PDB file of all heavy atoms in Angstrom:
ATOM      1  N   LEU A  18     -12.015   3.936  -8.794  1.00  0.00           N
ATOM      2  CA  LEU A  18     -12.121   3.748  -7.354  1.00  0.00           C
ATOM      3  C   LEU A  18     -10.993   4.536  -6.688  1.00  0.00           C
ATOM      4  O   LEU A  18      -9.935   4.740  -7.297  1.00  0.00           O
ATOM      5  CB  LEU A  18     -11.980   2.272  -6.970  1.00  0.00           C
ATOM      6  CG  LEU A  18     -13.162   1.334  -7.179  1.00  0.00           C
ATOM      7  CD1 LEU A  18     -12.723  -0.102  -6.856  1.00  0.00           C
ATOM      8  CD2 LEU A  18     -14.343   1.731  -6.338  1.00  0.00           C
ATOM      9  N   ARG A  19     -11.232   4.931  -5.444  1.00  0.00           N
ATOM     10  CA  ARG A  19     -10.171   5.537  -4.673  1.00  0.00           C
ATOM     11  C   ARG A  19      -9.980   4.721  -3.402  1.00  0.00           C
ATOM     12  O   ARG A  19     -10.887   4.589  -2.592  1.00  0.00           O
ATOM     13  CB  ARG A  19     -10.485   6.988  -4.297  1.00  0.00           C
ATOM     14  CG  ARG A  19      -9.293   7.695  -3.660  1.00  0.00           C
ATOM     15  CD  ARG A  19      -9.599   9.119  -3.256  1.00  0.00           C
ATOM     16  NE  ARG A  19     -10.432   9.190  -2.058  1.00  0.00           N
ATOM     17  CZ  ARG A  19     -10.597  10.278  -1.328  1.00  0.00           C
ATOM     18  NH1 ARG A  19      -9.986  11.397  -1.673  1.00  0.00           N
ATOM     19  NH2 ARG A  19     -11.363  10.268  -0.257  1.00  0.00           N
ATOM     20  N   LEU A  20      -8.779   4.186  -3.256  1.00  0.00           N
ATOM     21  CA  LEU A  20      -8.434   3.432  -2.065  1.00  0.00           C
ATOM     22  C   LEU A  20      -7.785   4.366  -1.049  1.00  0.00           C
ATOM     23  O   LEU A  20      -7.044   5.284  -1.407  1.00  0.00           O
ATOM     24  CB  LEU A  20      -7.469   2.300  -2.389  1.00  0.00           C
ATOM     25  CG  LEU A  20      -7.931   1.297  -3.446  1.00  0.00           C
ATOM     26  CD1 LEU A  20      -6.897   0.181  -3.583  1.00  0.00           C
ATOM     27  CD2 LEU A  20      -9.294   0.746  -3.157  1.00  0.00           C
ATOM     28  N   SER A  21      -8.060   4.093   0.228  1.00  0.00           N
ATOM     29  CA  SER A  21      -7.462   4.859   1.311  1.00  0.00           C
ATOM     30  C   SER A  21      -6.627   3.936   2.178  1.00  0.00           C
ATOM     31  O   SER A  21      -6.964   2.768   2.378  1.00  0.00           O
ATOM     32  CB  SER A  21      -8.549   5.504   2.175  1.00  0.00           C
ATOM     33  OG  SER A  21      -9.361   6.383   1.437  1.00  0.00           O
ATOM     34  N   CYS A  22      -5.562   4.491   2.711  1.00  0.00           N
ATOM     35  CA  CYS A  22      -4.688   3.780   3.647  1.00  0.00           C
ATOM     36  C   CYS A  22      -4.481   4.705   4.837  1.00  0.00           C
ATOM     37  O   CYS A  22      -3.699   5.663   4.750  1.00  0.00           O
ATOM     38  CB  CYS A  22      -3.373   3.426   2.981  1.00  0.00           C
ATOM     39  SG  CYS A  22      -2.142   2.702   4.095  1.00  0.00           S
ATOM     40  N   ALA A  23      -5.199   4.441   5.906  1.00  0.00           N
ATOM     41  CA  ALA A  23      -5.148   5.294   7.082  1.00  0.00           C
ATOM     42  C   ALA A  23      -4.191   4.686   8.113  1.00  0.00           C
ATOM     43  O   ALA A  23      -4.285   3.496   8.426  1.00  0.00           O
ATOM     44  CB  ALA A  23      -6.528   5.441   7.671  1.00  0.00           C
ATOM     45  N   ALA A  24      -3.293   5.499   8.623  1.00  0.00           N
ATOM     46  CA  ALA A  24      -2.322   5.051   9.597  1.00  0.00           C
ATOM     47  C   ALA A  24      -2.730   5.499  10.991  1.00  0.00           C
ATOM     48  O   ALA A  24      -3.222   6.617  11.183  1.00  0.00           O
ATOM     49  CB  ALA A  24      -0.941   5.578   9.265  1.00  0.00           C
ATOM     50  N   SER A  25      -2.482   4.628  11.955  1.00  0.00           N
ATOM     51  CA  SER A  25      -2.691   4.996  13.356  1.00  0.00           C
ATOM     52  C   SER A  25      -1.525   4.478  14.161  1.00  0.00           C
ATOM     53  O   SER A  25      -0.929   3.453  13.838  1.00  0.00           O
ATOM     54  CB  SER A  25      -4.006   4.442  13.885  1.00  0.00           C
ATOM     55  OG  SER A  25      -4.021   3.033  13.823  1.00  0.00           O
ATOM     56  N   GLY A  26      -1.180   5.216  15.209  1.00  0.00           N
ATOM     57  CA  GLY A  26      -0.065   4.808  16.052  1.00  0.00           C
ATOM     58  C   GLY A  26       1.289   5.290  15.584  1.00  0.00           C
ATOM     59  O   GLY A  26       2.289   5.085  16.266  1.00  0.00           O
ATOM     60  N   PHE A  27       1.343   5.906  14.417  1.00  0.00           N
ATOM     61  CA  PHE A  27       2.587   6.481  13.920  1.00  0.00           C
ATOM     62  C   PHE A  27       2.274   7.515  12.853  1.00  0.00           C
ATOM     63  O   PHE A  27       1.173   7.521  12.294  1.00  0.00           O
ATOM     64  CB  PHE A  27       3.517   5.396  13.361  1.00  0.00           C
ATOM     65  CG  PHE A  27       2.992   4.692  12.121  1.00  0.00           C
ATOM     66  CD1 PHE A  27       3.525   4.988  10.870  1.00  0.00           C
ATOM     67  CD2 PHE A  27       1.993   3.756  12.199  1.00  0.00           C
ATOM     68  CE1 PHE A  27       3.069   4.343   9.749  1.00  0.00           C
ATOM     69  CE2 PHE A  27       1.512   3.108  11.078  1.00  0.00           C
ATOM     70  CZ  PHE A  27       2.061   3.404   9.841  1.00  0.00           C
ATOM     71  N   SER A  28       3.254   8.341  12.559  1.00  0.00           N
ATOM     72  CA  SER A  28       3.046   9.412  11.583  1.00  0.00           C
ATOM     73  C   SER A  28       3.613   9.007  10.231  1.00  0.00           C
ATOM     74  O   SER A  28       4.763   8.567  10.131  1.00  0.00           O
ATOM     75  CB  SER A  28       3.730  10.695  12.054  1.00  0.00           C
ATOM     76  OG  SER A  28       3.715  11.655  11.020  1.00  0.00           O
ATOM     77  N   LEU A  29       2.809   9.188   9.198  1.00  0.00           N
ATOM     78  CA  LEU A  29       3.282   8.910   7.858  1.00  0.00           C
ATOM     79  C   LEU A  29       4.308   9.933   7.361  1.00  0.00           C
ATOM     80  O   LEU A  29       4.857   9.781   6.272  1.00  0.00           O
ATOM     81  CB  LEU A  29       2.097   8.835   6.884  1.00  0.00           C
ATOM     82  CG  LEU A  29       1.158   7.645   7.093  1.00  0.00           C
ATOM     83  CD1 LEU A  29       0.077   7.643   6.026  1.00  0.00           C
ATOM     84  CD2 LEU A  29       1.916   6.331   7.083  1.00  0.00           C
ATOM     85  N   ASP A  30       4.556  10.965   8.157  1.00  0.00           N
ATOM     86  CA  ASP A  30       5.597  11.929   7.798  1.00  0.00           C
ATOM     87  C   ASP A  30       6.970  11.268   7.773  1.00  0.00           C
ATOM     88  O   ASP A  30       7.922  11.820   7.197  1.00  0.00           O
ATOM     89  CB  ASP A  30       5.616  13.089   8.800  1.00  0.00           C
ATOM     90  CG  ASP A  30       4.409  13.983   8.670  1.00  0.00           C
ATOM     91  OD1 ASP A  30       3.647  13.843   7.695  1.00  0.00           O
ATOM     92  OD2 ASP A  30       4.214  14.845   9.560  1.00  0.00           O
ATOM     93  N   TYR A  31       7.090  10.093   8.418  1.00  0.00           N
ATOM     94  CA  TYR A  31       8.388   9.429   8.530  1.00  0.00           C
ATOM     95  C   TYR A  31       8.433   8.084   7.831  1.00  0.00           C
ATOM     96  O   TYR A  31       9.391   7.322   8.005  1.00  0.00           O
ATOM     97  CB  TYR A  31       8.740   9.276  10.016  1.00  0.00           C
ATOM     98  CG  TYR A  31       8.712  10.573  10.762  1.00  0.00           C
ATOM     99  CD1 TYR A  31       7.661  10.896  11.613  1.00  0.00           C
ATOM    100  CD2 TYR A  31       9.733  11.509  10.578  1.00  0.00           C
ATOM    101  CE1 TYR A  31       7.621  12.112  12.270  1.00  0.00           C
ATOM    102  CE2 TYR A  31       9.696  12.730  11.249  1.00  0.00           C
ATOM    103  CZ  TYR A  31       8.650  13.016  12.088  1.00  0.00           C
ATOM    104  OH  TYR A  31       8.608  14.227  12.729  1.00  0.00           O
ATOM    105  N   PHE A  32       7.393   7.782   7.069  1.00  0.00           N
ATOM    106  CA  PHE A  32       7.328   6.485   6.400  1.00  0.00           C
ATOM    107  C   PHE A  32       6.935   6.649   4.933  1.00  0.00           C
ATOM    108  O   PHE A  32       6.018   7.412   4.617  1.00  0.00           O
ATOM    109  CB  PHE A  32       6.289   5.585   7.082  1.00  0.00           C
ATOM    110  CG  PHE A  32       6.723   5.051   8.418  1.00  0.00           C
ATOM    111  CD1 PHE A  32       6.622   5.833   9.552  1.00  0.00           C
ATOM    112  CD2 PHE A  32       7.234   3.767   8.530  1.00  0.00           C
ATOM    113  CE1 PHE A  32       7.028   5.350  10.785  1.00  0.00           C
ATOM    114  CE2 PHE A  32       7.624   3.281   9.757  1.00  0.00           C
ATOM    115  CZ  PHE A  32       7.517   4.061  10.881  1.00  0.00           C
ATOM    116  N   ALA A  33       7.629   5.929   4.084  1.00  0.00           N
ATOM    117  CA  ALA A  33       7.145   5.784   2.724  1.00  0.00           C
ATOM    118  C   ALA A  33       5.992   4.766   2.740  1.00  0.00           C
ATOM    119  O   ALA A  33       5.972   3.858   3.563  1.00  0.00           O
ATOM    120  CB  ALA A  33       8.264   5.283   1.812  1.00  0.00           C
ATOM    121  N   ILE A  34       5.058   4.948   1.837  1.00  0.00           N
ATOM    122  CA  ILE A  34       3.923   4.044   1.735  1.00  0.00           C
ATOM    123  C   ILE A  34       3.888   3.420   0.344  1.00  0.00           C
ATOM    124  O   ILE A  34       4.048   4.100  -0.678  1.00  0.00           O
ATOM    125  CB  ILE A  34       2.595   4.772   1.996  1.00  0.00           C
ATOM    126  CG1 ILE A  34       2.553   5.252   3.438  1.00  0.00           C
ATOM    127  CG2 ILE A  34       1.416   3.852   1.693  1.00  0.00           C
ATOM    128  CD1 ILE A  34       2.523   4.134   4.479  1.00  0.00           C
ATOM    129  N   GLY A  35       3.673   2.120   0.336  1.00  0.00           N
ATOM    130  CA  GLY A  35       3.545   1.408  -0.927  1.00  0.00           C
ATOM    131  C   GLY A  35       2.188   0.732  -1.018  1.00  0.00           C
ATOM    132  O   GLY A  35       1.600   0.365  -0.011  1.00  0.00           O
ATOM    133  N   TRP A  36       1.701   0.647  -2.248  1.00  0.00           N
ATOM    134  CA  TRP A  36       0.504  -0.141  -2.535  1.00  0.00           C
ATOM    135  C   TRP A  36       0.943  -1.366  -3.324  1.00  0.00           C
ATOM    136  O   TRP A  36       1.694  -1.254  -4.296  1.00  0.00           O
ATOM    137  CB  TRP A  36      -0.505   0.648  -3.341  1.00  0.00           C
ATOM    138  CG  TRP A  36      -1.302   1.622  -2.550  1.00  0.00           C
ATOM    139  CD1 TRP A  36      -1.089   2.965  -2.426  1.00  0.00           C
ATOM    140  CD2 TRP A  36      -2.493   1.350  -1.774  1.00  0.00           C
ATOM    141  NE1 TRP A  36      -2.045   3.531  -1.615  1.00  0.00           N
ATOM    142  CE2 TRP A  36      -2.910   2.558  -1.214  1.00  0.00           C
ATOM    143  CE3 TRP A  36      -3.227   0.198  -1.519  1.00  0.00           C
ATOM    144  CZ2 TRP A  36      -4.042   2.655  -0.387  1.00  0.00           C
ATOM    145  CZ3 TRP A  36      -4.342   0.289  -0.702  1.00  0.00           C
ATOM    146  CH2 TRP A  36      -4.744   1.502  -0.153  1.00  0.00           C
ATOM    147  N   PHE A  37       0.414  -2.516  -2.917  1.00  0.00           N
ATOM    148  CA  PHE A  37       0.696  -3.774  -3.570  1.00  0.00           C
ATOM    149  C   PHE A  37      -0.618  -4.484  -3.838  1.00  0.00           C
ATOM    150  O   PHE A  37      -1.642  -4.158  -3.218  1.00  0.00           O
ATOM    151  CB  PHE A  37       1.605  -4.643  -2.690  1.00  0.00           C
ATOM    152  CG  PHE A  37       2.917  -3.990  -2.372  1.00  0.00           C
ATOM    153  CD1 PHE A  37       3.044  -3.084  -1.324  1.00  0.00           C
ATOM    154  CD2 PHE A  37       4.041  -4.257  -3.145  1.00  0.00           C
ATOM    155  CE1 PHE A  37       4.249  -2.460  -1.044  1.00  0.00           C
ATOM    156  CE2 PHE A  37       5.267  -3.650  -2.867  1.00  0.00           C
ATOM    157  CZ  PHE A  37       5.367  -2.755  -1.816  1.00  0.00           C
ATOM    158  N   ARG A  38      -0.586  -5.435  -4.717  1.00  0.00           N
ATOM    159  CA  ARG A  38      -1.819  -6.191  -4.980  1.00  0.00           C
ATOM    160  C   ARG A  38      -1.475  -7.647  -5.239  1.00  0.00           C
ATOM    161  O   ARG A  38      -0.378  -7.987  -5.687  1.00  0.00           O
ATOM    162  CB  ARG A  38      -2.594  -5.593  -6.152  1.00  0.00           C
ATOM    163  CG  ARG A  38      -1.896  -5.697  -7.499  1.00  0.00           C
ATOM    164  CD  ARG A  38      -2.691  -4.920  -8.557  1.00  0.00           C
ATOM    165  NE  ARG A  38      -2.055  -5.020  -9.871  1.00  0.00           N
ATOM    166  CZ  ARG A  38      -2.470  -4.339 -10.941  1.00  0.00           C
ATOM    167  NH1 ARG A  38      -3.502  -3.486 -10.845  1.00  0.00           N
ATOM    168  NH2 ARG A  38      -1.866  -4.495 -12.111  1.00  0.00           N
ATOM    169  N   GLN A  39      -2.466  -8.492  -4.972  1.00  0.00           N
ATOM    170  CA  GLN A  39      -2.300  -9.909  -5.239  1.00  0.00           C
ATOM    171  C   GLN A  39      -3.600 -10.478  -5.764  1.00  0.00           C
ATOM    172  O   GLN A  39      -4.641 -10.410  -5.107  1.00  0.00           O
ATOM    173  CB  GLN A  39      -1.877 -10.653  -3.972  1.00  0.00           C
ATOM    174  CG  GLN A  39      -1.505 -12.103  -4.222  1.00  0.00           C
ATOM    175  CD  GLN A  39      -0.777 -12.739  -3.061  1.00  0.00           C
ATOM    176  OE1 GLN A  39      -0.853 -12.277  -1.931  1.00  0.00           O
ATOM    177  NE2 GLN A  39      -0.031 -13.802  -3.341  1.00  0.00           N
ATOM    178  N   ALA A  40      -3.516 -11.020  -6.952  1.00  0.00           N
ATOM    179  CA  ALA A  40      -4.664 -11.663  -7.587  1.00  0.00           C
ATOM    180  C   ALA A  40      -4.633 -13.154  -7.275  1.00  0.00           C
ATOM    181  O   ALA A  40      -3.548 -13.698  -6.985  1.00  0.00           O
ATOM    182  CB  ALA A  40      -4.631 -11.430  -9.095  1.00  0.00           C
ATOM    183  N   PRO A  41      -5.763 -13.823  -7.324  1.00  0.00           N
ATOM    184  CA  PRO A  41      -5.795 -15.257  -7.022  1.00  0.00           C
ATOM    185  C   PRO A  41      -4.829 -16.033  -7.912  1.00  0.00           C
ATOM    186  O   PRO A  41      -4.809 -15.852  -9.143  1.00  0.00           O
ATOM    187  CB  PRO A  41      -7.239 -15.643  -7.315  1.00  0.00           C
ATOM    188  CG  PRO A  41      -8.016 -14.385  -7.124  1.00  0.00           C
ATOM    189  CD  PRO A  41      -7.111 -13.282  -7.585  1.00  0.00           C
ATOM    190  N   GLY A  42      -4.022 -16.866  -7.287  1.00  0.00           N
ATOM    191  CA  GLY A  42      -3.091 -17.692  -8.021  1.00  0.00           C
ATOM    192  C   GLY A  42      -1.864 -16.977  -8.553  1.00  0.00           C
ATOM    193  O   GLY A  42      -1.063 -17.579  -9.276  1.00  0.00           O
ATOM    194  N   LYS A  43      -1.721 -15.727  -8.183  1.00  0.00           N
ATOM    195  CA  LYS A  43      -0.562 -14.961  -8.669  1.00  0.00           C
ATOM    196  C   LYS A  43       0.254 -14.435  -7.496  1.00  0.00           C
ATOM    197  O   LYS A  43      -0.222 -14.337  -6.372  1.00  0.00           O
ATOM    198  CB  LYS A  43      -1.034 -13.783  -9.537  1.00  0.00           C
ATOM    199  CG  LYS A  43      -1.700 -14.215 -10.835  1.00  0.00           C
ATOM    200  CD  LYS A  43      -1.980 -13.015 -11.737  1.00  0.00           C
ATOM    201  CE  LYS A  43      -2.572 -13.446 -13.066  1.00  0.00           C
ATOM    202  NZ  LYS A  43      -2.837 -12.272 -13.946  1.00  0.00           N
ATOM    203  N   GLU A  44       1.482 -14.076  -7.806  1.00  0.00           N
ATOM    204  CA  GLU A  44       2.343 -13.502  -6.785  1.00  0.00           C
ATOM    205  C   GLU A  44       1.950 -12.047  -6.515  1.00  0.00           C
ATOM    206  O   GLU A  44       1.375 -11.366  -7.381  1.00  0.00           O
ATOM    207  CB  GLU A  44       3.803 -13.560  -7.224  1.00  0.00           C
ATOM    208  CG  GLU A  44       4.359 -14.973  -7.272  1.00  0.00           C
ATOM    209  CD  GLU A  44       5.854 -14.999  -7.540  1.00  0.00           C
ATOM    210  OE1 GLU A  44       6.425 -13.918  -7.772  1.00  0.00           O
ATOM    211  OE2 GLU A  44       6.432 -16.084  -7.516  1.00  0.00           O
ATOM    212  N   ARG A  45       2.286 -11.584  -5.330  1.00  0.00           N
ATOM    213  CA  ARG A  45       2.050 -10.199  -4.992  1.00  0.00           C
ATOM    214  C   ARG A  45       2.924  -9.303  -5.872  1.00  0.00           C
ATOM    215  O   ARG A  45       4.084  -9.610  -6.123  1.00  0.00           O
ATOM    216  CB  ARG A  45       2.348  -9.947  -3.512  1.00  0.00           C
ATOM    217  CG  ARG A  45       2.025  -8.557  -3.035  1.00  0.00           C
ATOM    218  CD  ARG A  45       2.080  -8.519  -1.514  1.00  0.00           C
ATOM    219  NE  ARG A  45       3.363  -8.894  -0.989  1.00  0.00           N
ATOM    220  CZ  ARG A  45       3.581  -9.200   0.289  1.00  0.00           C
ATOM    221  NH1 ARG A  45       2.574  -9.183   1.152  1.00  0.00           N
ATOM    222  NH2 ARG A  45       4.796  -9.516   0.708  1.00  0.00           N
ATOM    223  N   GLU A  46       2.342  -8.200  -6.348  1.00  0.00           N
ATOM    224  CA  GLU A  46       3.107  -7.281  -7.179  1.00  0.00           C
ATOM    225  C   GLU A  46       2.971  -5.865  -6.659  1.00  0.00           C
ATOM    226  O   GLU A  46       1.962  -5.491  -6.051  1.00  0.00           O
ATOM    227  CB  GLU A  46       2.648  -7.358  -8.630  1.00  0.00           C
ATOM    228  CG  GLU A  46       1.209  -6.944  -8.871  1.00  0.00           C
ATOM    229  CD  GLU A  46       0.860  -6.876 -10.360  1.00  0.00           C
ATOM    230  OE1 GLU A  46       1.766  -6.873 -11.205  1.00  0.00           O
ATOM    231  OE2 GLU A  46      -0.342  -6.810 -10.642  1.00  0.00           O
ATOM    232  N   ALA A  47       3.985  -5.081  -6.923  1.00  0.00           N
ATOM    233  CA  ALA A  47       3.960  -3.674  -6.510  1.00  0.00           C
ATOM    234  C   ALA A  47       3.123  -2.871  -7.496  1.00  0.00           C
ATOM    235  O   ALA A  47       3.115  -3.137  -8.688  1.00  0.00           O
ATOM    236  CB  ALA A  47       5.380  -3.123  -6.457  1.00  0.00           C
ATOM    237  N   VAL A  48       2.425  -1.902  -6.951  1.00  0.00           N
ATOM    238  CA  VAL A  48       1.584  -1.027  -7.764  1.00  0.00           C
ATOM    239  C   VAL A  48       2.142   0.393  -7.791  1.00  0.00           C
ATOM    240  O   VAL A  48       2.359   0.968  -8.865  1.00  0.00           O
ATOM    241  CB  VAL A  48       0.140  -1.013  -7.223  1.00  0.00           C
ATOM    242  CG1 VAL A  48      -0.717  -0.011  -7.991  1.00  0.00           C
ATOM    243  CG2 VAL A  48      -0.472  -2.410  -7.271  1.00  0.00           C
ATOM    244  N   SER A  49       2.386   0.944  -6.608  1.00  0.00           N
ATOM    245  CA  SER A  49       2.820   2.324  -6.533  1.00  0.00           C
ATOM    246  C   SER A  49       3.390   2.592  -5.154  1.00  0.00           C
ATOM    247  O   SER A  49       3.160   1.828  -4.214  1.00  0.00           O
ATOM    248  CB  SER A  49       1.628   3.261  -6.787  1.00  0.00           C
ATOM    249  OG  SER A  49       2.027   4.627  -6.741  1.00  0.00           O
ATOM    250  N   CYS A  50       4.173   3.662  -5.036  1.00  0.00           N
ATOM    251  CA  CYS A  50       4.659   4.067  -3.718  1.00  0.00           C
ATOM    252  C   CYS A  50       4.832   5.579  -3.691  1.00  0.00           C
ATOM    253  O   CYS A  50       4.922   6.242  -4.748  1.00  0.00           O
ATOM    254  CB  CYS A  50       5.948   3.355  -3.352  1.00  0.00           C
ATOM    255  SG  CYS A  50       7.374   3.772  -4.362  1.00  0.00           S
TER     256      CYS A  50
END
């Protein structure tokens, strides 16, 4: 699968982006940035 994260109202040129995930009953975990 390919997930997309589209930003509006600001430029991603000035922000790092992280992907996180949370499974049922589990804590949120970092995936990538």
Side-chain angles (χ1 to χ4, degrees):
L18 284 174
R19 188 182 74 164
L20 304 184
S21 300
C22 174
S25 61
F27 66 105
S28 171
L29 292 183
D30 290 349
Y31 305 104
F32 287 81
I34 294 295
W36 282 98
F37 301 84
R38 66 187 182 186
Q39 188 166 21
K43 294 187 177 181
E44 292 187 355
R45 184 168 59 194
E46 63 173 345
V48 175
S49 181
C50 66

